[in-house]
Amino acid sequence: MGYACLMPVDRAQVLHSAAALLTRKSTATMDEVARAAGISRATLHRHFAGRDALVRALEDLGIRECEAALDRARLVEGRAEDALRRLIREIEPAAPLLAFLTTENQLFEGDAQNEGWTRLDTRMAELFRRGQEAGEFRIDLTPAWLCEALYGLVGSAAWSVQDGRVAAKDFSFMIAELLLGGVRRRVEP
Amino acid sequence: MGYACLMPVDRAQVLHSAAALLTRKSTATMDEVARAAGISRATLHRHFAGRDALVRALEDLGIRECEAALDRARLVEGRAEDALRRLIREIEPAAPLLAFLTTENQLFEGDAQNEGWTRLDTRMAELFRRGQEAGEFRIDLTPAWLCEALYGLVGSAAWSVQDGRVAAKDFSFMIAELLLGGVRRRVEP
DNA sequence: CCCTGATGAGACATCTGTGTCTCACGTGGG
DNA sequence: CCCACGTGAGACACAGATGTCTCATCAGGG
């Protein structure tokens, strides 16, 4: 089988452009979302039954891309610091999507999809816990807070890049350096 | 003159409850906002001509509270690190409001109110720049990024506290410690 | 060559939120 | 005591988004 038309709709591409738009304008119309994806409202509605379905699909994709990033980052291998750097690097493509989803907290209330986020949180928290046990990371910041902080920094960075305030190539560096070393100057590298 | 009724509407209180609600559910109805504030939709509409006016008022209040926090923090006095800690402590009451406003980036596009945010950004960036020049802060992270990161961490912390994932009393500590020192364990304090 | 399948454009009814209005109630002041 | 003021409740029309439909178009496969 396979698609038969000139411009078969790439589901993931539509979802990514929708995330990019909705991150900037959370009240964007279905028509605006369609236009942003370069398709018509009718086609958008053929693939996603409604706005709810679209957001659910966005959440699905976000969870799957994050899990894939976590897999690629091999969080359990090597030093926790290196694993965290890998994670930040691998999660960069999903950053706009993640930025949108973290602001849509309304989704997180009372749905089964919460399980997906819980699994992600657990894996990330495990990385921070491992770093703490290995003596790499300080123990006075809880893994749960570090997870939230990572989400927040990824969102801020994605927004800054999208807005042109910082260079896209510095994405990983900025997050990793700030999260790992903080802003205070270190006497010895 | 003065208020004559049993329950005169406290404008700031309405705005804060609106911010708390809209942070969780950005698409909340005017009716929901009114209920959350304990007033009727009619009264809400008497004080804020419409949803736009409400959000504008939210933005006004957010800017004013942030500026007040910056004033109280005395950013130009003493060590930059101490000033930053003061800033985080003083900005805590405005955190939910700030968390909402930072996610409503749609507002930041093409309006005169942008000037208020620019002034805030400038003052914060000046603090980071001062710390860098004094040798307290590292110079490979731009003040602009540090500002964005601070916004992101404040938002994450506010959301975490609101969700019960972290204790409210740790708000300042978590942000300040992570932002200043990072997650990496330091050999010497 | 025709047929299948997916798309774009547009029309249409519906629904939800919004903005405005009126009316009744209760409190505080004159 | 009565009046003024602000509020709550509800009705109402309006605007915009949504969901569904039809029809024309066009590429690829049998």
Side-chain angles (χ1 to χ4, degrees):
Chain A
M1 48 174 306
Y3 296 96
C5 275
L6 177 64
M7 196 61 184
V9 169
D10 181 351
R11 193 181 171 91
Q13 177 253 325
V14 171
L15 287 173
H16 271 100
S17 72
L21 173 60
L22 291 172
T23 300
R24 295 193 304 271
K25 188 169 189 280
S26 59
T27 61
T29 304
M30 289 292 278
D31 193 86
E32 293 176 283
V33 172
R35 300 293 166 177
I39 62 177
S40 69
R41 193 170 71 95
T43 300
L44 177 64
H45 199 271
R46 283 186 191 103
H47 287 265
F48 307 99
R51 193 188 186 77
D52 290 346
L54 175 67
V55 178
R56 287 292 288 266
L58 237 31
E59 209 175 357
D60 270 335
L61 182 66
I63 291 176
R64 275 188 284 109
E65 292 205 352
C66 282
E67 292 222 54
L70 265 65
D71 291 338
R72 289 194 303 269
R74 309 184 312 280
L75 296 189
V76 296
E77 297 180 18
R79 293 199 308 157
E81 171 173 340
D82 297 330
L84 181 56
R85 288 185 188 275
R86 286 195 299 270
L87 170 59
I88 294 170
R89 186 157 14 97
E90 296 293 344
I91 218 171
E92 180 171 355
L97 187 50
L98 197 56
F100 165 68
L101 293 173
T102 52
T103 62
E104 287 295 285
N105 349 47
Q106 59 181 5
L107 304 172
F108 303 168
E109 297 178 357
D111 64 338
Q113 212 143 11
N114 210 312
E115 180 207 343
W117 294 110
T118 303
R119 191 165 49 237
L120 285 172
D121 286 351
T122 303
R123 291 180 66 182
M124 286 194 204
E126 167 60 23
L127 168 64
F128 289 117
R129 196 197 54 75
R130 183 168 76 86
Q132 290 177 332
E133 289 195 353
E136 286 183 76
F137 294 163
R138 53 199 290 187
I139 61 173
D140 55 347
L141 296 175
T142 66
W145 160 239
L146 294 174
C147 283
E148 292 300 324
L150 177 55
Y151 284 134
L153 290 178
V154 168
S156 290
W159 191 75
S160 296
V161 169
Q162 206 173 31
D163 236 58
R165 264 193 291 278
V166 299
K169 69 175 181 60
D170 295 333
F171 180 90
S172 291
F173 176 81
M174 294 186 310
I175 299 175
E177 287 302 313
L178 183 58
L179 189 56
L180 280 165
V183 71
R184 198 189 285 126
R185 186 176 168 204
R186 304 177 72 80
V187 278
E188 33 88 80
Chain B
M1 50 172 302
Y3 295 97
C5 273
L6 176 63
M7 195 63 183
V9 169
D10 179 352
R11 192 181 171 91
Q13 177 252 327
V14 170
L15 288 173
H16 272 99
S17 71
L21 172 61
L22 291 173
T23 300
R24 294 193 304 271
K25 188 169 190 275
S26 59
T27 61
T29 304
M30 288 292 277
D31 192 87
E32 293 176 282
V33 173
R35 300 294 165 176
I39 62 177
S40 69
R41 192 169 71 96
T43 301
L44 177 63
H45 198 271
R46 282 188 192 102
H47 286 265
F48 306 99
R51 193 189 186 76
D52 291 347
L54 175 66
V55 178
R56 287 292 288 264
L58 238 28
E59 210 176 357
D60 271 336
L61 181 66
I63 291 175
R64 275 188 284 109
E65 293 206 351
C66 281
E67 292 222 55
L70 264 64
D71 291 338
R72 290 194 303 269
R74 309 184 312 281
L75 296 189
V76 297
E77 298 181 17
R79 292 200 309 156
E81 170 172 341
D82 296 330
L84 181 55
R85 288 185 188 277
R86 286 196 299 269
L87 170 60
I88 294 170
R89 186 158 16 96
E90 295 294 343
I91 218 170
E92 180 170 356
L97 188 50
L98 196 56
F100 164 69
L101 293 173
T102 52
T103 64
E104 289 295 287
N105 349 45
Q106 58 182 5
L107 304 172
F108 302 169
E109 297 177 359
D111 63 341
Q113 210 142 15
N114 211 312
E115 179 208 343
W117 293 111
T118 302
R119 190 165 49 236
L120 285 173
D121 286 351
T122 303
R123 291 180 66 180
M124 287 195 204
E126 168 59 23
L127 168 64
F128 289 117
R129 196 197 55 74
R130 182 169 77 87
Q132 289 177 332
E133 289 195 352
E136 286 183 75
F137 294 164
R138 53 198 291 188
I139 61 172
D140 55 347
L141 295 175
T142 67
W145 161 237
L146 294 175
C147 284
E148 292 300 322
L150 177 57
Y151 284 134
L153 289 178
V154 168
S156 290
W159 190 75
S160 297
V161 168
Q162 205 173 30
D163 235 58
R165 265 194 291 280
V166 299
K169 71 175 182 55
D170 296 333
F171 180 90
S172 291
F173 176 81
M174 294 187 308
I175 299 175
E177 285 303 312
L178 183 58
L179 188 57
L180 279 166
V183 72
R184 199 190 284 126
R185 187 175 168 206
R186 305 176 73 81
V187 279
E188 33 88 80

